[in-house]
Amino acid sequence: MSRLRRNDPAQYDELADEWWRPDGGFAALHWLADSRAEHIPPAAAPGALLVDLACGGGLMAPHVARLGYRHVGVDIGLRGLEIARAHGVAPVRGSVLAVPLADGCADVVVAGEVLEHVEDDLAVLAECARLLRPGGVLVLDTLAATRLSVLVMVRILEHVPGGPPPGLHDPALFVDRRRLLAEAERLGLDMVLVGLRPSVREAIAWRLGRRTTVRMKPTRSTAVVFAGYGRKR
């Protein structure tokens, strides 16, 4: 990989071949996709729409199809969108800060591993709220703005096989949980935060080649990886 600044979106183009490898550089994103799907209700009607912000290579596609939604993926990366399209996602190239879709169009919005990659995480949350119809569901996951999160996600895991690719995250962009919840309330989103961590036993088995995926388990602490589950009032 060429030497890029931290959080440079070009990294995703360089790692495009890793998207669908369960043992590749994006392995943990497969685990998170499985976890997100557990919190998405089945489509209530034909034509129900799920908008997948920063969809990357479309790892949510099998789950979205199984749950019965039309799947629109939004991303700035052309290579990722091409891969997502090949897996059944309707691709839309655009910024998560100004999504080129209509107000209230979505029954579900997924914002997985994106808030910690943008300068204005609250603007992304506002776009989620704008896109959702009343009663629509929001599922997000991201990294907390804590010293522990920086230690685990950057100082340690970037140097461990199977961890995030080096330079993928900029700790300055990690998310303030109280600020996020306050903005959700202002935007009319009823949201709860839940900590997430991989099953240690399954992670070891995965590392030894005995498993193809690892369950993400809920934790009381939201100090490292956390999910937000919400509904628009």
Side-chain angles (χ1 to χ4, degrees):
M1 184 189 299
S2 63
R3 197 160 190 81
L4 299 168
R5 71 184 188 280
R6 279 199 169 273
N7 196 51
D8 192 322
Q11 291 186 71
Y12 291 93
D13 289 336
E14 292 189 347
L15 293 165
D17 292 340
E18 299 290 304
W19 276 113
W20 284 89
R21 287 184 56 215
D23 59 347
F26 293 138
L29 297 186
H30 288 256
W31 313 343
L32 286 163
D34 293 346
S35 177
R36 291 170 202 140
E38 294 175 1
H39 297 273
I40 300 171
L49 178 65
L50 182 147
V51 175
D52 188 358
L53 299 184
C55 67
L59 299 186
M60 289 297 300
H63 305 292
V64 176
R66 171 177 56 81
L67 291 165
Y69 292 92
R70 290 185 296 132
H71 188 182
V72 171
V74 180
D75 208 293
I76 60 171
L78 184 58
R79 183 68 184 114
L81 287 174
E82 291 170 347
I83 295 169
R85 185 202 293 269
H87 287 84
V89 181
V92 173
R93 194 174 191 190
S95 170
V96 295
L97 296 168
V99 179
L101 295 173
D103 295 1
C105 66
D107 298 274
V108 177
V109 171
V110 173
E113 295 299 294
V114 60
L115 297 184
E116 77 275 20
H117 289 290
V118 296
E119 295 286 347
D120 190 347
D121 53 355
L122 299 188
V124 178
L125 189 66
E127 282 295 270
C128 294
R130 181 184 68 79
L131 292 168
L132 282 170
R133 63 166 179 78
V137 171
L138 172 63
V139 176
L140 63 84
D141 43 73
T142 187
L143 303 180
T146 65
R147 291 181 180 178
L148 179 61
S149 183
V150 175
L151 174 66
V152 172
M153 298 304 302
V154 179
R155 309 299 181 210
I156 297 175
L157 289 186
E158 284 193 4
H159 305 284
V160 173
L168 193 68
H169 295 116
D170 180 353
L173 300 179
F174 287 6
V175 176
D176 184 313
R177 293 157 291 168
R178 288 185 180 179
R179 186 167 163 263
L180 186 71
L181 282 173
E183 185 66 3
E185 175 64 24
R186 191 188 72 80
L187 292 167
L189 295 168
D190 295 323
M191 188 164 68
V192 296
L193 304 185
V194 177
L196 294 174
R197 69 164 179 83
S199 163
V200 174
R201 179 179 297 179
E202 292 182 10
I204 293 171
W206 172 82
R207 191 74 190 94
L208 295 173
R210 297 172 183 167
R211 288 186 64 92
T212 58
T213 190
V214 176
R215 283 178 302 148
M216 297 298 291
K217 302 180 72 171
T219 67
R220 290 185 179 181
S221 173
T222 58
V224 182
V225 179
F226 70 88
Y229 306 124
R231 190 175 293 272
K232 186 173 180 180
R233 295 196 288 272

